[in-house]
């Protein structure tokens, strides 16, 4: 999915971020005793780190991926503003924000004791800008939008993203043919009408709907989200759902869920900003909304595994994809646990199986068409011993781990599990797929597990073979020189 061509394409992008810029300060230290003055820990400070926060964190994420980024916002006339401008310049971010007299440059200070956050205090101004100050920002818009490939509105409800400004951003962007991605902490989304995507977390989505009874499931989010997007004239809503991944629903009803990138969660600070940054970059690059969200999901998984606010770089995401195929290899017990989560989320499970010894275009056709029958494709793979019993002592040509690794590298495949038996019946019974797929050389009556699947309300799909493509014919050609 990521190539050198991708990296070079990102370097050609210009992205505009508009919103509430702030500083994220981290004070690190050790805690070994409790204060006698009050029941609070005493921290012996050992270090301090300052990074860009809010809309600045979105800009940092975009810059870390390699795109050019312009950041538009408001700061005070104080030392924090100088520090913010200096950090933006150091990261190659073009900050064109305005300075506002008597306004504090927003700063969140987190106290980290023994590696964990124990307190936070905020210093900020949250009132809306005065009309003349807002006009200064709006005056910057036309040129900045014209020079950008995509526009991001990052609204932390700190006073910059007023209704007037947001509507002006979206209107100007639409007139210029530039897509808009929005993220907001507000429950009122009316100012974002016309945006292409809005990206709340589940609690923000629930607050915007004013429906506290909605459940964190794909069915509920899709059921409520489609009509909500239509009402607000928003292209689609991407709901981040913590350990349940991300669900996207468009106003036309198209929807899908991406499973969470499973990592040890160290700190969730800025994870939403990472999603927005990745979504903007890969959407602007021309990726489909599905691929852009899938990549953003991986980026968020990296971000939460790091301490503090972290800008995930292109090298981070490339390294993650280099390892990702390994995460698709499951033991039977691991798959059983994963299936439980997928079923609870209402995902449609598709199953197919085979030896897949020397992968060819016929296999690719089968797997691609199988994936199109549902949400997740599980592939059962005959072990080496199983292949020998079925195909003879000269097979397989490729060991089981190599065959599994190649399958896992395919985008259509979501899980690979190796089985030792001659048939996958036990695996099918454990998987309980909604759809069982086999090649067109079978009939429904000869498909192992067909009766079981149909008795559980599932169906059987037979995919036509690609003429002249089989592992056996390949081996015969090799043997015949």
């Amino acid at each position: 999915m990521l190539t050198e061509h991708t990296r070079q394409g990102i370097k050609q992008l210009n992205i505009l971020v508009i919103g509430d810029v702030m500083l994220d300060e981290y004070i690190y230290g050790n805690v070994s005793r409790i204060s006698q003055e009050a029941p609070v820990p005493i921290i012996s400070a050992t270090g301090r780190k300052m990074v860009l926060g809010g809309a600045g964190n979105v800009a940092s994420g975009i810059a870390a991926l390699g795109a050019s980024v312009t950041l538009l916002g408001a700061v005070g006339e104080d030392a924090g503003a100088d520090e913010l401008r200096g950090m933006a310049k150091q990261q190659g971010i073009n900050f064109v924000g305005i300075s506002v007299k008597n306004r504090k440059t927003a700063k969140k200070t987190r106290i980290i004791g023994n590696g964990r956050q124990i307190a936070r205090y905020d210093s900020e101004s949250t009132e809306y800008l005065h009309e003349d100050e807002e006009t200064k920002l709006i005056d910057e818009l036309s040129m900045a939008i014209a020079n950008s490939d995509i526009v991001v509105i990052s609204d932390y409800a700190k006073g910059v993203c007023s209704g007037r400004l947001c509507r002006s951003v979206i209107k100007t962007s639409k007139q210029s043919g530039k897509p808009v991605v929005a993220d907001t902490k507000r429950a009122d989304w009316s100012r974002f009408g016309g945006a292409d995507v809005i990206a709340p977390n589940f609690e923000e989505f629930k607050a915007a709907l004013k429906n506290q009874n909605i459940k964190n499931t794909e069915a509920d989010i899709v059921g409520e989200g489609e009509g909500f997007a239509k009402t607000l004239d928003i292209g689609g809503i991407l709901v981040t759902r913590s350990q349940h991944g991300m669900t996207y629903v468009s106003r036309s009803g198209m929807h899908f869920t991406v499973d969470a990138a499973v990592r040890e969660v160290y700190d969730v600070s800025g994870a939403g900003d990472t999603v927005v940054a990745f979504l903007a970059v890969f959407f602007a690059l021309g990726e489909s909304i599905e691929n852009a969200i899938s990549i953003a999901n991986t980026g968020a998984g990296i971000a939460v595994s790091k301490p503090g606010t972290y800008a995930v770089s292109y090298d981070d995401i490339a390294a993650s994809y280099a390892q990702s195929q390994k995460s698709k290899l499951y033991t039977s017990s691991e798959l059983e646990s994963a299936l439980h989560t997928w079923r609870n989320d209402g995902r449609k499970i598709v199953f197919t199986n085979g030896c897949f010894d020397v992968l060819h275009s016929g296999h690719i056709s089968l797997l691609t068409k199988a994936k199109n029958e549902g949400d997740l494709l599980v592939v059962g793979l005959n072990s080496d011993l199983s292949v020998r019993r079925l195909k003879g002592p000269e097979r397989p040509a490729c060991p089981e781990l190599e065959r599994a690794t190649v399958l896992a590298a395919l985008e259509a495949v979501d899980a690979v599990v190796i089985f030792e038996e001659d048939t996958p019946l036990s695996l099918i019974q454990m998987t309980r797929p909604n759809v069982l797929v086999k090649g067109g050389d079978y009939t429904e009556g000869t498909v192992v597990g067909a009766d079981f699947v149909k008795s559980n309300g599932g169906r059987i799909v037979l995919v036509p073979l690609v003429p002249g493509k089989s592992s056996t014919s390949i081996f015969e050609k090799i043997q015949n020189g």
Side-chain angles (χ1 to χ4, degrees):
M1 188 178 291
L2 298 181
T3 64
E4 184 58 28
H5 178 73
T6 306
R7 186 194 292 265
Q8 294 306 317
I10 292 174
K11 288 181 179 180
Q12 303 303 312
L13 295 177
N14 293 290
I15 297 177
L16 174 62
V17 179
I18 302 165
D20 297 298
V21 295
M22 59 188 73
L23 296 167
D24 280 350
E25 180 182 37
Y26 295 85
I27 297 176
Y28 298 93
N30 301 314
V31 176
S32 58
R33 58 197 177 100
I34 301 298
S35 173
Q36 296 179 349
E37 301 166 357
V40 295
I42 297 174
I43 182 169
S44 298
T46 59
R48 172 183 181 267
K49 182 179 78 170
M50 191 81 85
V51 296
L52 294 176
N57 187 36
V58 177
S60 289
I62 292 168
L65 286 170
S68 297
V69 57
T70 295
L71 177 60
L72 189 60
V75 294
E77 294 179 342
D78 52 20
D82 295 336
E83 194 160 14
L84 191 150
R85 291 178 188 277
M87 285 190 292
K89 183 176 181 180
Q90 189 175 27
Q91 294 178 42
I93 297 169
N94 177 30
F95 180 57
V96 293
I98 63 169
S99 297
V100 179
K101 190 175 182 180
N102 298 325
R103 186 179 185 87
K104 293 180 181 178
T105 299
K107 182 167 74 172
K108 298 177 181 179
T109 299
R110 297 174 175 87
I111 311 298
I112 312 296
N114 296 347
R116 296 296 174 185
Q117 183 174 321
I118 59 176
R120 188 185 107 180
Y121 67 90
D122 297 351
S123 173
E124 60 190 14
S125 298
T126 59
E127 65 275 7
Y128 281 119
L129 300 175
H130 293 151
E131 185 176 348
D132 59 334
E133 295 161 348
E134 188 176 72
T135 299
K136 288 181 182 178
L137 278 180
I138 292 175
D139 287 344
E140 297 279 355
L141 287 175
S142 295
M143 183 67 72
I145 291 173
N147 292 331
S148 301
D149 295 294
I150 195 168
V151 179
V152 176
I153 302 175
S154 178
D155 177 21
Y156 270 74
K158 305 301 182 186
V160 169
C161 297
S162 66
R164 178 189 173 210
L165 183 131
C166 289
R167 285 188 285 271
S168 181
V169 169
I170 294 171
K171 179 180 178 181
T172 305
S173 298
K174 298 291 101 177
Q175 289 173 342
S176 301
K178 308 300 171 65
V180 177
V181 175
D183 183 24
T184 182
K185 303 303 178 187
R186 303 178 193 277
D188 180 4
W189 291 2
S190 59
R191 68 193 63 191
F192 300 105
D196 293 88
V197 183
I198 191 165
N201 61 36
F202 176 70
E203 291 302 320
E204 292 164 349
F205 178 64
K206 187 164 66 172
L209 286 171
K210 298 180 175 59
N211 179 359
Q212 293 304 307
N213 295 320
I214 185 174
K215 295 181 177 62
N216 191 359
T217 64
E218 181 182 54
D220 272 22
I221 291 168
V222 171
E224 295 285 347
E226 179 185 348
F228 198 42
K230 285 180 182 176
T231 299
L232 295 171
D233 188 28
I234 292 171
I237 302 172
L238 172 62
V239 182
T240 55
R241 304 168 52 208
S242 189
Q243 73 271 22
H244 301 293
M246 302 179 188
T247 294
Y248 174 81
V249 56
S250 75
R251 64 184 171 201
S252 66
M254 189 272 284
H255 64 272
F256 57 87
T257 293
V258 177
D259 290 325
V262 180
R263 290 174 177 263
E264 181 180 357
V265 177
Y266 189 98
D267 190 339
V268 298
S269 300
D273 294 333
T274 300
V275 171
V276 172
F278 270 73
L279 183 59
V281 166
F282 286 94
F283 197 25
L285 195 62
E287 292 282 352
S288 67
I289 190 69
E290 293 94 333
N291 283 347
I293 289 172
S294 176
I295 301 169
N297 181 56
T298 303
I302 296 171
V304 300
S305 70
K306 306 291 184 180
T309 304
Y310 182 80
V312 180
S313 70
Y314 185 92
D315 288 339
D316 288 331
I317 197 74
S320 177
Y321 271 107
Q323 295 296 320
S324 64
Q325 62 194 49
K326 295 180 181 178
S327 68
K328 295 183 182 180
L329 305 184
Y330 289 80
T331 63
S332 292
S333 60
E334 289 170 343
L335 180 63
E336 190 169 18
S337 176
L339 285 164
H340 178 74
T341 300
W342 295 338
R343 290 193 194 102
N344 284 346
D345 259 353
R347 314 296 292 280
K348 183 185 288 187
I349 310 299
V350 183
F351 181 91
T352 193
N353 66 278
C355 300
F356 297 100
D357 191 18
V358 182
L359 203 66
H360 53 72
S361 60
H363 291 141
I364 301 299
S365 175
L366 172 73
L367 295 169
T368 302
K369 290 176 180 177
K371 178 59 179 284
N372 290 337
E373 296 293 334
D375 300 312
L376 294 161
L377 175 59
V378 177
V379 178
L381 181 68
N382 293 75
S383 70
D384 288 349
L385 289 175
S386 177
V387 174
R388 288 190 190 102
R389 290 194 298 268
L390 294 172
K391 304 285 188 179
E394 300 302 319
R395 302 280 296 275
C398 299
E400 60 191 44
L401 186 56
E402 288 187 20
R403 290 183 283 126
T405 301
V406 171
L407 283 170
L410 299 176
E411 188 173 356
V413 175
D414 297 288
V416 179
V417 59
I418 298 171
F419 63 94
E420 297 290 344
E421 300 84 2
D422 289 349
T423 77
L425 182 59
S426 296
L427 184 56
I428 291 169
Q429 291 171 337
M430 186 266 283
T431 305
R432 287 188 285 122
N434 303 95
V435 185
L436 176 59
V437 176
K438 288 295 288 183
D441 50 341
Y442 286 81
T443 64
E444 195 167 299
T446 59
V447 174
V448 172
D451 291 342
F452 173 81
V453 171
K454 289 192 292 184
S455 70
N456 281 276
R459 57 192 178 87
I460 312 303
V461 173
L462 302 178
V463 175
L465 299 181
V466 176
K469 296 297 180 182
S470 73
S471 296
T472 300
S473 65
I474 291 173
F475 284 114
E476 288 176 351
K477 288 179 181 179
I478 293 172
Q479 291 168 352
N480 293 330

